[in-house]
Amino acid sequence: MTTVNVGASERSLKQKVEQALGVVAEDAKLSKSYMTVAFIALLIGGFLGLFQGLERAGLIQLPSWFTYYQVLTAHGILLVLVLTAFFTIGYFYAGLSQVLGGILPHVRRMAWIGFWLKIVGFVCAVIPIIMNDATVMFTFYPPMAASPLFYIGLALIVIGVWMCAFGAFINVATWRKQNPGKQIPIFAFFATGVFVLLFFGSIGVTIEVIMLIFWSAGILETINVMVSRTLFWSFGHTLVNIWYLTAVSAWYTIVPKIIGGRRFSDTLTRVVVILLVITNIPGGFHHQIVDPGMGEALKYMHVFMSLAIGFPSLMTAYAMFSVFERTGRLKGGKGLLGWFKKLPWGDVRFLAPFIAMAAFAPAGAGGIAQTTNQLNQVVHNTLWVVGHFHLTVGTSVVLTFFGISYWLIPHISKRVLTPQMNRIGIIQTIIWTVGMLFMSGAMHYVGLLGSPRRTSYTTYGDHAVALGWDPYMILLAIGGTLLIVGVIIQVYAVFNMMFFAPKGKTEFPIAETEEEPQGKKPALWADRWGLWIVLMLLVVSMGYVIPLVDMIVNAPPGSPPIRTW
């Protein structure tokens, strides 16, 4: 017993020393592993995206053994699921280690189990894609049926994410027990919100995937297509906003520190997180706004729920630009816009997330258009939607992730960001921004001209309208080419900072809050996550219980598995 206590004491002392130096080695190894997979997925998925863009523009013809639709499916799985999930978990676990005094040993084991579950799940999903047995695209809508192995892989990925989510909950709950009367650190508060959404938002799609496993294996003869699509979008809609909330966590807590300022009101920040968690999951029906079988009243309710997310977004815009202006003026900025010049435009850690924030303005406006019935009728099944998606995720989210990598990778690798690597980051950010302007802009415009999404290159028998799309497709291909250059530079930068940059200490830059009035008590009510989860579930029930019961009780004829390729 004495030996065990001495060993535990030594480990505790070692962890305290490592924490004082800025990073716990075992936690850093975990985050580095997650980041490594994330950026390998970015590299492979980026090349697949380039092949897509070149074929869509009619510049190349993909081989019969790896078709456009296989590439489309793999591109979506790699970037939408693997890149984002691995980056988000690696980022938040690094932050939880920083603000909570290290990751608990059993929580770290849970995160490693989750890591390998996701890796195995990814392999299971990719094998049938390569074999052309799962060419169902990212949304995998039935009645198109993939190999059961594909759905088993997706289920394993979700279970792996759940392991990491519950690990984070355990770590935060343990910290609260050890620190009664204290507020959850703001970064841990963001992490809790993201993992709450990851767990509850993925319950619906997990139920769908389990049904699809039995259906594709022939155990279930038919499946309810309406229920399946609805369960998918209860997750798909939430997933986009999980990425958004991850980016917002860096905007609120990291960027102010990078620019030498303080973060906005702590209470407002927590309210934004709470609102995004409560209002996020409902709203998925706006992705099904053209689907038959659902009444107008139901669709209007989901439109309202979708638009509700705009309120915390507007609060974020006000808070961030308030921080920028105040910091710029403290640095000597004069006049109406003099503060703008004082921001550190030569620092990639600021430039990348700033462009991401700026891009979210038109991206958010595009999202509002898609929630409106009349406007959605115009753009729903066109490349406009793909352009919107690349503006929100490919710019607002991914550029924020890139900006994070320039301090997070050196932090967990015990290295430093050199001026040379910072310049490379600036060049990469500019290339990415220009590439996305070309590609996303062309997609938006040609979508308004009627060019459909989810289709390979065709002129529809040299129809005049289809031929009119060709110049915009060339712009799309140019943008895609610039983006793959940006991908290569970014991946090079990440692995250079991970393994070859000079040794040194890089802080995890969490900003202090603005000075609060004397005597003001911390908003401990905001930490009542049990209450916010109950409210979230009530709102989810309003949006989904009645329509799902109706779809099941008054079910249309089910569909057997269909292979369309």
Side-chain angles (χ1 to χ4, degrees):
M1 180 66 71
T2 304
T3 304
V4 172
N5 288 339
V6 169
S9 176
E10 288 177 349
R11 285 194 299 273
S12 176
L13 178 62
K14 178 184 176 184
Q15 191 174 62
K16 288 179 179 178
V17 171
E18 288 177 332
Q19 191 63 30
L21 294 173
V23 62
V24 178
E26 292 174 317
D27 298 346
K29 181 180 178 182
L30 175 67
S31 289
K32 283 173 70 174
S33 299
Y34 272 91
M35 289 293 163
T36 298
V37 174
F39 283 98
I40 290 174
L42 172 68
L43 183 63
I44 300 172
F47 273 103
L48 294 176
L50 174 65
F51 299 153
Q52 267 180 260
L54 294 178
E55 166 143 336
R56 187 61 197 266
L59 298 177
I60 66 170
Q61 177 68 51
L62 287 167
S64 59
W65 50 267
F66 200 44
T67 68
Y68 175 86
Y69 297 100
Q70 285 173 274
V71 170
L72 184 58
T73 304
H75 175 74
I77 297 296
L78 276 164
L79 297 188
V80 176
L81 285 183
V82 180
L83 166 64
T84 56
F86 277 83
F87 187 96
T88 297
I89 293 168
Y91 163 64
F92 277 119
Y93 265 75
L96 289 175
S97 174
Q98 180 72 18
V99 301
L100 301 183
I103 301 297
L104 298 171
H106 58 287
V107 170
R108 196 183 303 117
R109 284 194 295 272
M110 291 175 69
W112 276 116
I113 293 170
F115 177 88
W116 289 112
L117 280 171
K118 290 192 289 291
I119 291 292
V120 172
F122 168 64
V123 171
C124 289
V126 164
I127 288 173
I129 294 174
I130 294 173
M131 297 175 65
N132 202 23
D133 282 331
T135 309
V136 291
M137 296 178 283
F138 164 71
T139 47
F140 54 89
Y141 289 153
M144 289 197 301
S147 161
L149 186 62
F150 174 77
Y151 302 118
I152 291 170
L154 295 181
L156 289 173
I157 291 173
V158 173
I159 294 170
V161 170
W162 287 0
M163 290 290 291
C164 297
F166 279 98
F169 299 152
I170 291 168
N171 222 108
V172 172
T174 302
W175 183 91
R176 292 187 70 182
K177 288 180 182 178
Q178 296 171 349
N179 296 271
K182 292 185 178 180
Q183 276 190 305
I184 299 174
I186 189 63
F187 191 89
F189 194 86
F190 269 104
T192 303
V194 166
F195 283 118
V196 164
L197 284 175
L198 271 170
F199 173 67
F200 287 100
S202 59
I203 290 175
V205 77
T206 305
I207 295 170
E208 180 202 8
V209 165
I210 292 171
M211 292 192 300
L212 292 176
I213 292 171
F214 291 106
W215 172 68
S216 62
I219 299 172
L220 292 177
E221 291 186 6
T222 62
I223 196 163
N224 188 320
V225 173
M226 287 180 62
V227 169
S228 296
R229 287 171 66 93
T230 301
L231 291 175
F232 176 84
W233 280 117
S234 70
F235 158 77
H237 171 75
T238 306
L239 185 61
V240 175
N241 290 295
I242 288 169
W243 306 326
Y244 169 57
L245 184 54
T246 303
V248 166
S249 72
W251 299 353
Y252 270 104
T253 65
I254 308 300
V255 173
K257 179 75 170 181
I258 297 294
I259 66 175
R262 290 176 173 266
R263 59 186 173 87
F264 201 72
S265 163
D266 184 81
T267 302
L268 179 138
T269 305
R270 293 173 194 267
V271 168
V272 166
V273 177
I274 292 166
L275 288 175
L276 284 170
V277 168
I278 291 174
T279 62
N280 220 318
I281 298 176
F285 274 118
H286 86 251
H287 292 269
Q288 299 171 256
I289 207 164
V290 300
D291 283 13
M294 290 171 280
E296 290 181 358
L298 173 65
K299 291 180 179 179
Y300 275 122
M301 179 173 67
H302 276 258
V303 165
F304 174 78
M305 289 178 169
S306 299
L307 294 175
I309 299 173
F311 291 103
S313 297
L314 291 172
M315 293 164 69
T316 297
Y318 174 80
M320 293 313 305
F321 279 88
S322 174
V323 168
F324 294 156
E325 181 178 2
R326 182 169 300 184
T327 304
R329 293 195 183 283
L330 287 174
K331 291 183 174 183
K334 305 293 183 183
L336 183 63
L337 295 175
W339 57 271
F340 195 72
K341 299 177 183 178
K342 296 295 182 178
L343 298 176
W345 299 107
D347 189 338
V348 66
R349 301 171 302 167
F350 166 72
L351 179 65
F354 181 88
I355 294 174
M357 293 180 213
F360 194 73
I368 291 173
Q370 288 178 92
T371 65
T372 308
N373 185 57
Q374 293 87 343
L375 295 177
N376 195 289
Q377 300 291 328
V378 176
V379 303
H380 181 81
N381 203 35
T382 72
L383 268 176
W384 194 96
V385 173
V386 186
H388 164 74
F389 189 74
H390 281 84
L391 194 57
T392 51
V393 179
T395 309
S396 292
V397 172
V398 170
L399 262 185
T400 301
F401 286 2
F402 290 171
I404 290 170
S405 72
Y406 284 96
W407 57 261
L408 179 59
I409 300 298
H411 170 76
I412 60 179
S413 304
K414 296 182 181 178
R415 297 180 185 273
V416 295
L417 174 66
T418 62
Q420 179 187 17
M421 191 55 62
N422 181 69
R423 285 194 297 273
I424 289 174
I426 295 290
I427 293 169
Q428 190 276 341
T429 300
I430 294 170
I431 290 173
W432 188 271
T433 303
V434 174
M436 199 59 76
L437 280 172
F438 274 102
M439 190 177 79
S440 178
M443 286 176 169
H444 274 88
Y445 195 81
V446 79
L448 293 177
L449 298 179
S451 181
R453 57 177 171 155
R454 296 183 174 134
T455 60
S456 183
Y457 176 74
T458 177
T459 62
Y460 295 94
D462 288 338
H463 193 284
V465 173
L467 292 175
W469 302 332
D470 285 353
Y472 305 100
M473 295 302 179
I474 299 300
L475 292 177
L476 186 156
I478 292 171
T481 304
L482 289 171
L483 288 173
I484 195 60
V485 173
V487 165
I488 293 169
I489 296 173
Q490 180 63 33
V491 173
Y492 163 77
V494 164
F495 287 103
N496 181 279
M497 292 184 292
M498 194 176 287
F499 298 110
F500 302 108
K503 290 280 188 178
K505 179 182 176 181
T506 298
E507 70 169 336
F508 196 107
I510 299 177
E512 297 292 330
T513 189
E514 292 179 348
E515 294 183 4
E516 302 282 0
Q518 286 188 350
K520 183 179 179 181
K521 296 181 179 179
L524 293 176
W525 54 267
D527 290 353
R528 299 176 62 185
W529 274 105
L531 173 61
W532 310 136
I533 291 171
V534 169
L535 289 176
M536 177 194 71
L537 293 176
L538 286 173
V539 175
V540 170
S541 299
M542 289 171 55
Y544 281 102
V545 171
I546 293 176
L548 280 172
V549 168
D550 180 61
M551 290 176 193
I552 294 169
V553 173
N554 301 303
S559 174
I562 296 174
R563 179 166 173 145
T564 60
W565 65 95

